[in-house]
């Protein structure tokens, strides 16, 4: 069985990522991209579905592990009765083929090591044919090939459809394993650089990148680790940021709420851009903005809530029946059918993101404004319709309050853009009129005056943590009694062990799914933001510190937290959670602005 979700650390090369457990096993890796089929899928099944374990013979769990400084290079230390050894795992930024490098270094005494490699292509279903050639063990099946070598050479042998390596390291000795993926129809891949030189280059690359972080507040270490994680989830060729490195890690152990998050969501757009710019990472902000413009280009009626990491629109969802699912949480899904949903909030997310980009000084793009005008033209005719909402419900469309608020944001940002940049032309009077209409309708139909709170949807008694964003986006000032009432109601009614659910678990009819889920970490960060802007600074800091405490030993967060079991839930690591951490740290440190109410 795989370990708890929070047991894993991430390594990657800005095009894909691997998850490494404290038992020395790499249980998840998709090659050559984040959204490619996994060749190590033990995370969603068992070791027969593919993994690579490297540890002292007979050892179960490492003594300690950590990232080396502000990098994505992972050092794992093992202590045995005969000695101490360090295993360093990393993926250098690729020039051609992707490499995964594991360096074993003797620290004290002498340690007998064992490596066990089970390659299983196509999400753990295909056992490759393995041969020896030119010092490599080469595994081939269909379009995939993986080439493994060791320096210095180590005796490797095959048994039970696995490759084993048994060797001994003494203090001061090193053995490096290099695993390279390559298309099977091409010739021998270009030999990777010396693994120790590759390690130095990888450390230098990450150190130089991390040095650009401008945040110097009290939570710098946590913020920088979250920024590194966001960078690790970035697909460098396009600038897209995957929502997570995994698919189908469950929101409820044993449940069916298991989704593929290896794609890019528009809902994250403005929040991610703010985090990148405020952290000092303007190059990444430019790349993210440019990916967004390419992805959403075309007919505004065809705008999707998510896209592939290269901007792909078709993300067909299917189930993988040969994988049992994480701790029996089936089905395992590949692709995401929610890509075809109508979510009106994404129009507001896109316009807010592009407005923020101009506001924060990113170079303008000539066609960006014409695209924004086209999006506004479409939204003006569509905003009164019901949709599936931010949380991608599968129980039918409703008039979700958050969707309407973000339609207001779209109109508001269009007006503000023309006001700040008179050279950009648009029908400001019409947009002002739409803004006023949306505002009036939300305050009339989306607000419960008896309970003094905004609700999840028109006519519903249920609450939604997304309404915590109302003061952040400028829909109402934080001093408004309706905002204060909403913050209090969400805090009380959606509380789950001191954290915040997205919505009530009794609202199953809304999302159309059985079962329940944990507290949603991004929503819990939103509550901390809301407490801060409504004058409850000490309570905001206390909640933020509580959220920091649920990170794992290397600073990573999944999508959700189960306060009863004390476990992380959902796909991992989750970009939305880390964006929330960064933005809340900025808010509490006074480094993040709030949109003034129109």
């Amino acid at each position: 069985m795989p370990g708890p979700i929070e047991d894993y650390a991430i390594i990657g090369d800005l095009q894909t990522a691997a998850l490494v457990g404290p038992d020395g096993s790499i249980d998840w890796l998709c090659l050559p991209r984040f959204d490619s089929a996994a060749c190590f899928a033990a995370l969603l099944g068992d070791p027969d579905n593919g993994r690579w374990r490297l540890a002292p013979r007979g050892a179960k769990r490492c003594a300690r592990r950590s990232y080396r400084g502000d990098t994505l290079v992972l050092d794992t230390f093992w202590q045995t009765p005969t000695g101490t050894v360090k295993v360093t795992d990393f993926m250098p930024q690729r020039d051609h083929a992707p490499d995964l490098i594991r360096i074993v270094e003797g620290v004290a005494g002498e340690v007998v090591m064992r490596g066990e490699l089970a390659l299983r292509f196509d999400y753990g279903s295909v056992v490759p044919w393995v041969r020896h050639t030119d010092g490599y063990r080469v595994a081939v099946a269909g379009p995939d090939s993986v080439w493994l070598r060791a320096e210095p050479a180590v005796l490797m042998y095959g048994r039970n459809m696995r490759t084993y390596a048994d060797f001994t390291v003494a203090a001061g000795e090193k053995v490096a394993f290099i695993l390279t993926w390559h298309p099977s129809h091409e010739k021998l891949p270009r030999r990777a650089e010396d693994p120790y030189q590759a390690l130095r280059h990888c450390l230098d690359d990450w150190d130089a990148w991390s040095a650009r972080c401008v945040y110097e507040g009290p939570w710098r270490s946590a913020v920088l680790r979250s920024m590194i994680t966001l960078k690790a989830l970035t697909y460098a060729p396009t600038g897209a940021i995957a929502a997570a490195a995994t698919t189908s890690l469950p929101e409820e152990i044993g449940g069916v709420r298991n989704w593929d998050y290896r794609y890019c969501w528009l809902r994250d757009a403005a929040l991610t851009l703010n985090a990148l710019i405020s952290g000092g990472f303007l190059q990444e902000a430019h790349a993210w903005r440019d990916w967004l413009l390419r992805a959403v280009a075309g007919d505004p009626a065809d705008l999707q809530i998510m896209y592939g990491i290269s901007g792909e629109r078709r993300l067909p969802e299917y189930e993988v029946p040969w994988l049992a699912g994480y701790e029996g949480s089936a089905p395992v899904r590949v692709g995401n059918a929610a890509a075809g949903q109508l979510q009106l909030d994404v129009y507001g997310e896109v316009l807010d993101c592009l407005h923020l980009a101009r506001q924060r000084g990113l170079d303008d793009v000539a066609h960006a404004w014409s695209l924004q005008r086209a999006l506004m033209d479409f939204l003006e005719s569509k905003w009164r319709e019901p949709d599936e909402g931010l949380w991608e419900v599968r129980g039918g469309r409703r008039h979700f309050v958050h969707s309407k608020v973000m339609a207001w944001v779209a109109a508001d940002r269009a007006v503000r853009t023309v006001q700040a940049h008179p050279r950009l032309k648009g029908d400001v009077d019409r947009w002002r009129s739409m803004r006023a209409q949306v505002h009036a309708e939300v305050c009339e139909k989306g607000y419960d005056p008896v309970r003094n709170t905004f609700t999840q949807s028109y006519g519903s008694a249920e609450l939604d943590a997304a309404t915590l964003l109302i003061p952040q986006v400028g829909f109402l000032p934080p001093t408004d009694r309706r905002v204060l009432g909403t913050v209090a109601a969400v805090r009380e009614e959606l509380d789950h062990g001191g954290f915040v659910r997205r919505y009530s678990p009794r609202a199953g009819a809304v999302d159309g799914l059985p079962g329940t889920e944990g507290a949603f970490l991004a929503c819990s960060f939103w509550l901390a933001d809301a407490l801060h802007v409504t004058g409850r600074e000490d309570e905001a800091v206390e909640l933020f510190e509580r959220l920091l405490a649920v990170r794992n030993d290397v600073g990573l967060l999944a999508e959700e937290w189960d306060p009863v079991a004390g476990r992380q839930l959902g796909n991992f690591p989750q970009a939305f959670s880390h964006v929330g951490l960064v933005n809340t740290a900025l808010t509490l440190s006074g480094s993040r602005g709030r949109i003034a109410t129109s």
Side-chain angles (χ1 to χ4, degrees):
M1 293 287 288
I5 292 170
E6 64 272 14
D7 264 6
Y8 288 95
I10 186 175
I11 58 174
D13 65 356
L14 309 187
Q15 296 192 43
T16 191
L19 295 187
V20 189
D23 61 349
S25 182
I26 297 177
D27 288 344
W28 183 256
L29 174 62
C30 300
L31 289 171
R33 301 183 0 155
F34 290 106
D35 55 356
S36 299
C39 61
F40 298 146
L43 180 69
L44 300 178
D46 59 40
D48 285 337
N49 297 124
R51 70 169 186 171
W52 185 10
R53 187 163 191 255
L54 186 57
R57 185 185 293 175
K60 301 297 184 184
R61 189 180 178 96
C62 68
R64 60 184 175 89
R65 64 179 180 171
S66 62
Y67 288 112
R68 194 176 302 185
D70 296 322
T71 76
L72 206 64
V73 174
L74 182 69
D75 288 326
T76 302
F77 289 86
W78 299 82
Q79 293 179 342
T80 75
T82 62
T84 302
V85 68
K86 176 177 71 173
V87 178
T88 299
D89 293 321
F90 67 102
M91 296 182 72
Q93 295 183 31
R94 70 180 77 166
D95 291 325
H96 299 284
D99 296 313
L100 194 164
I101 300 177
R102 314 191 77 176
I103 298 175
V104 182
E105 179 179 355
V107 176
E110 194 173 79
V111 179
V112 178
M113 299 291 295
R114 163 160 284 194
E116 177 194 334
L117 174 65
L119 281 160
R120 301 290 187 267
F121 296 120
D122 194 23
Y123 298 104
S125 66
V126 178
V127 179
W129 184 264
V130 179
R131 70 179 190 273
H132 304 262
T133 180
D134 298 327
Y136 290 89
R137 291 185 73 86
V138 184
V140 177
D144 300 295
S145 72
V146 165
W147 302 63
L148 175 68
R149 77 177 196 273
E151 294 185 6
V154 169
L155 178 62
M156 290 186 271
Y157 59 95
R159 189 176 69 204
N160 299 325
M161 302 297 178
R162 288 168 167 78
T163 297
Y164 291 90
D166 295 320
F167 59 99
T168 300
V169 289
E173 294 180 345
K174 296 180 181 179
V175 177
F177 292 86
I178 304 95
L179 183 148
T180 303
W181 179 91
H182 200 65
S184 60
H185 65 279
E186 295 184 3
K187 295 180 180 179
L188 177 72
R190 192 175 77 175
R191 194 178 185 91
E193 65 178 327
D194 172 84
Y196 306 103
Q197 185 176 4
L199 174 59
R200 289 191 294 273
H201 288 164
C202 189
L203 290 168
D204 289 346
D205 287 344
W206 279 107
D207 284 338
W209 187 86
S210 296
R212 290 161 47 196
C213 181
V214 299
Y215 174 77
E216 296 292 346
W219 300 286
R220 178 178 167 80
S221 176
V223 166
L224 184 51
R225 178 49 55 188
S226 288
M227 297 301 303
I228 291 169
T229 305
L230 291 175
K231 181 68 171 177
L233 293 171
T234 299
Y235 184 61
T238 65
I241 300 176
T246 58
T247 179
S248 299
L249 288 179
E251 298 170 13
E252 178 188 25
I253 300 298
V256 301
R257 297 166 180 257
N258 320 315
W259 315 108
D260 194 346
Y261 273 24
R262 297 171 299 159
Y263 309 116
C264 202
W265 266 254
L266 296 191
R267 73 177 185 191
D268 307 354
L271 295 172
T272 300
L273 192 75
N274 182 79
L276 291 170
I277 294 174
S278 298
F281 299 104
L282 295 181
Q283 180 179 338
E284 287 71 21
H286 272 285
W288 168 240
R289 189 273 315 272
D290 292 346
W291 173 88
L292 178 68
L293 288 171
R294 293 192 303 272
V296 305
D299 188 339
D302 297 329
L303 188 70
Q304 297 186 179
I305 68 165
M306 73 180 84
Y307 295 85
I309 53 178
S310 290
E312 299 91 343
R313 289 174 173 264
R314 297 191 184 277
L315 308 175
E317 182 179 305
Y318 63 93
E319 296 180 4
V320 182
W322 59 84
L323 288 175
Y326 178 84
E327 294 191 16
S329 305
V332 171
R333 295 181 174 95
V334 172
N336 201 309
Q341 290 185 345
L342 173 65
Q343 293 183 16
L344 294 173
D345 63 290
V346 298
Y347 294 87
E349 300 288 359
V350 171
L351 269 79
D352 193 22
C353 180
L354 297 177
H355 171 72
L356 177 65
R358 288 191 183 90
Q359 192 179 47
R360 302 298 291 273
L362 268 65
D363 294 338
D364 206 355
V365 177
H367 65 278
W369 180 240
S370 60
L371 173 63
Q372 289 171 264
R373 290 177 58 180
L375 293 176
M376 279 303 303
D377 288 343
F378 176 79
L379 186 59
E380 282 182 88
S381 65
K382 206 77 174 176
W383 72 266
R384 295 183 186 276
E385 296 186 13
D387 70 340
E388 276 92 3
L390 170 71
W391 305 126
E392 301 162 15
V393 301
R394 301 192 179 197
R397 293 181 178 180
R398 300 191 178 205
H399 290 283
F400 288 101
V401 169
H402 175 74
S403 295
K404 308 301 185 186
V405 168
M406 293 310 296
W408 176 92
V409 167
D412 179 72
R413 303 310 188 260
V415 170
R416 290 174 184 266
T417 297
V418 173
Q419 289 175 334
H421 305 277
R423 62 183 177 79
L424 300 176
K425 305 302 180 184
D427 196 335
V428 177
D429 290 339
R430 199 172 80 239
W431 296 337
R432 282 199 183 100
S433 175
M434 174 187 160
R435 181 174 66 179
Q437 291 176 54
V438 177
H439 197 280
E441 182 177 294
V442 169
C443 291
E444 176 190 355
K445 298 181 179 181
Y447 171 70
D448 182 345
V450 176
R451 296 156 66 204
N452 187 30
T453 182
F454 285 96
T455 59
Q456 183 177 51
S457 61
Y458 291 176
S460 169
E462 301 295 343
L463 301 184
D464 188 335
T467 56
L468 293 169
L469 296 173
I470 283 175
Q472 293 288 351
V473 300
F475 185 84
L476 287 172
T479 54
D480 190 287
R481 63 180 297 273
R482 292 165 292 184
V483 169
L484 297 173
T486 299
V487 173
V490 167
R491 190 181 190 187
E492 178 181 353
E493 295 188 32
L494 298 185
D495 175 79
H496 186 32
F499 300 89
V500 180
R501 296 184 188 271
R502 293 187 291 181
Y503 44 78
S504 171
R506 64 177 177 268
V510 174
D511 64 26
L513 296 166
T516 185
E517 62 183 27
F520 205 78
L521 292 173
C523 295
S524 302
F525 286 115
W526 295 348
L527 176 58
D529 295 337
L531 290 172
H532 176 80
V533 299
T534 56
R536 305 170 79 166
E537 289 89 352
D538 291 344
E539 294 171 65
V541 171
E542 188 275 331
L543 174 56
F544 184 61
E545 295 285 359
R546 199 183 323 139
L547 283 159
L548 293 181
V550 308
R551 295 174 301 151
N552 72 0
D553 60 319
V554 289
L556 301 181
L557 291 168
E559 182 178 37
E560 299 179 5
W561 172 252
D562 181 347
V564 177
R567 295 187 59 177
Q568 294 193 29
L569 297 171
N571 283 304
F572 181 89
Q574 176 81 5
F576 209 30
S577 298
H578 285 280
V579 167
L581 187 156
V582 171
N583 282 329
T584 298
L586 294 169
T587 294
L588 300 184
S589 304
S591 305
R592 177 186 174 201
R594 179 180 58 81
I595 300 294
T597 307
S598 298

